[in-house]
Amino acid sequence: MKTLTIFTPAYNRAHTIGRTYESLCRQTCKDFEWLIVDDGSSDNTRALVEGWIKENRIPIRYIYQQNQGMHGAHNTAYRNIETELNTCIDSDDYMPDDAVEKIITFWKRNGSNRYAGLIGLDRTEDGKIIGTKFPEDMNSTTLYGFYARGGKGDKKLVYRTEVIRQYPEYPLFDGERYVSLGYKYQLIDQDYELLTMNESLVVVEYQADGSSRNMYKQYWNNPKGFAFIRKADMKLMPGWIRKFRACIHYVSSSLRAKNKYFISESPLPLATLLAIIPGFILYKYTEYKVKSDKKFKLKHE
C-alpha cells in the first residue's frame, strides 16, 4: 500500500486540473495515489480523468458526487482514503517535482503517533512563499498556535488519516455549499500538534472565481455554515477578544439566515447579546459589498 493519498476536490476545473496531473506524474517519489472527488462538474472533467486512468502513469481513483461544496468533497475523500497520510491539492494548484519525496522522507524520519501530521509551505509560481515561514525554534505547532504567534499565510497540511477520522465530518446544510475547513483543524488542534517543515509543498494560484477571492459572496450565500463555524470558534478560540469577534460574525450570519433563536443557540449567549449591534453593522456591510459587486446577483428570498 502507498504511504500518501493526494486528494483533489474538482468542480468545473477541467481547464486547470491537467497541470495538477502533470505535476504528479513528474514526482521523484511514486509512493502515493491520487484521489479525485468530482463535486458535480458539468464540464469534461470525467472524460479527462478517465483518459488519465487509461494512461496508467500514476494510480488514480475517481469518485463523482452531486455538488456539496469543498467541505462535502473533503468528507467523501476522508471516507475513502486508505493510506497512512493524506493531503489536499486543489484542482488549480500543483506540486513541485520533489514534494512527495520531501513529505515521505521527512515523515519517516520524524513522524510518530504523537503528531497529527506535518505542515509545510505554499508558494506562488515565481517562488515567493505565501505568508511567513516557521520560526527556527518551532519544530512543531498547532495550526492556530502558529497564527497566534504571528504566522501568516496559507500552509499545506498533511494529516495522518487515522487522526482525521477521529473527528466529526463537516456538516451539510440544505441550499448551502460552504463550511470552513478550519472546523476539523480546530478540533484536531485540541489534541495534537503538527511537525513543521520549512519546504514548499505546493504551488498555488488563486482563481478569480475561487472561494479565497469571493468571501463576501460566501458569507451571503452560506449563512448557516458560517454561523456553525462561529459557534465552534466561541468554544475553541483562545482569548475573549477572538471569542467576541466570533460572536459578531455569528450575529451577522444568523441575521442573514433569519434565525430568531440565535441567542439561545449560542454557546456564549450574553456575549452574543452584546454583539448584536456590531453584528448588525457587519450584516449590512456584507449586504452592501455583495450588492455593489456587479458580477454577483443578490439572491432574494
Side-chain angles (χ1 to χ4, degrees):
M1 180 182 291
K2 303 293 187 181
T3 301
L4 174 68
T5 293
I6 299 165
F7 70 93
T8 298
Y11 180 66
N12 291 337
R13 281 286 186 267
H15 59 293
T16 63
I17 195 172
R19 184 173 56 178
T20 312
Y21 170 62
E22 292 296 336
S23 78
L24 297 184
C25 291
R26 291 193 304 268
Q27 290 302 306
T28 55
C29 174
K30 304 299 184 182
D31 190 9
F32 73 94
E33 65 176 15
W34 191 23
L35 172 61
I36 301 168
V37 181
D38 187 338
D39 193 40
S41 295
S42 58
D43 61 7
N44 63 327
T45 295
R46 181 193 292 271
L48 273 178
V49 176
E50 288 176 348
W52 295 335
I53 291 173
K54 290 178 181 177
E55 289 178 3
N56 199 30
R57 296 169 67 188
I58 56 173
I60 300 174
R61 283 194 293 154
Y62 174 78
I63 298 173
Y64 180 89
Q65 66 182 26
Q66 295 299 314
N67 182 242
Q68 298 177 11
M70 179 71 78
H71 62 298
H74 276 239
N75 284 342
T76 300
Y78 294 142
R79 290 188 212 117
N80 288 276
I81 290 171
E82 299 170 353
T83 57
E84 179 184 5
L85 301 174
N86 69 81
T87 190
C88 176
I89 302 297
D90 289 341
S91 55
D92 48 5
D93 298 337
Y94 64 97
M95 299 186 83
D97 294 357
D98 59 353
V100 170
E101 182 177 358
K102 287 180 177 178
I103 291 169
I104 301 297
T105 302
F106 181 86
W107 180 253
K108 288 184 175 180
R109 184 188 304 130
N110 302 294
S112 75
N113 290 341
R114 291 177 51 199
Y115 302 104
L118 62 93
I119 180 172
L121 304 176
D122 288 3
R123 70 171 174 84
T124 58
E125 200 163 16
D126 61 2
K128 183 179 179 181
I129 297 298
I130 303 292
T132 56
K133 291 187 175 183
F134 305 106
E136 292 186 5
D137 64 343
M138 184 183 281
N139 296 318
S140 65
T141 182
T142 62
L143 177 60
Y144 285 86
F146 165 70
Y147 294 120
R149 281 188 57 174
K152 296 178 181 179
D154 290 339
K155 297 292 175 275
K156 183 44 55 188
L157 299 163
V158 182
Y159 278 109
R160 284 198 293 129
T161 304
E162 179 183 7
V163 168
I164 210 145
R165 282 185 176 156
Q166 294 175 19
Y167 300 88
E169 291 191 343
Y170 298 103
L172 301 176
F173 297 101
D174 288 342
E176 297 193 9
R177 296 293 181 269
Y178 185 92
V179 170
S180 171
L181 299 177
Y183 168 63
K184 192 181 283 277
Y185 309 152
Q186 276 186 308
L187 296 178
I188 294 172
D189 271 2
Q190 309 308 304
D191 302 315
Y192 294 94
E193 289 194 341
L194 294 154
L195 290 166
T196 59
M197 185 178 177
N198 265 324
E199 298 279 357
S200 59
L201 301 178
V202 65
V203 180
V204 302
E205 180 180 339
Y206 297 114
Q207 297 294 313
D209 59 344
S211 61
S212 299
R213 290 190 172 182
N214 289 279
M215 286 313 298
Y216 286 109
K217 176 180 176 180
Q218 299 285 15
Y219 290 147
W220 194 258
N221 282 346
N222 303 279
K224 294 177 184 176
F226 276 96
F228 170 83
I229 197 65
R230 299 310 180 189
K231 287 195 287 186
D233 289 344
M234 290 182 218
K235 297 175 185 176
L236 301 174
M237 280 290 188
W240 277 102
I241 292 178
R242 292 187 177 186
K243 289 180 186 293
F244 188 67
R245 187 181 299 131
C247 290
I248 294 172
H249 283 270
Y250 172 68
V251 170
S252 175
S253 295
S254 297
L255 292 174
R256 168 62 181 154
K258 296 183 169 30
N259 177 15
K260 59 185 177 182
Y261 303 107
F262 71 93
I263 294 178
S264 62
E265 293 175 359
S266 170
L268 300 173
L270 181 58
T272 300
L273 189 64
L274 295 173
I276 285 178
I277 292 177
F280 176 77
I281 294 171
L282 177 60
Y283 163 71
K284 297 303 291 184
Y285 179 73
T286 302
E287 182 181 40
Y288 164 76
K289 291 292 288 186
V290 169
K291 285 183 175 179
S292 63
D293 184 353
K294 295 179 181 179
K295 295 180 181 179
F296 175 61
K297 294 180 180 180
L298 187 64
K299 287 185 177 179
H300 296 283
E301 289 77 21

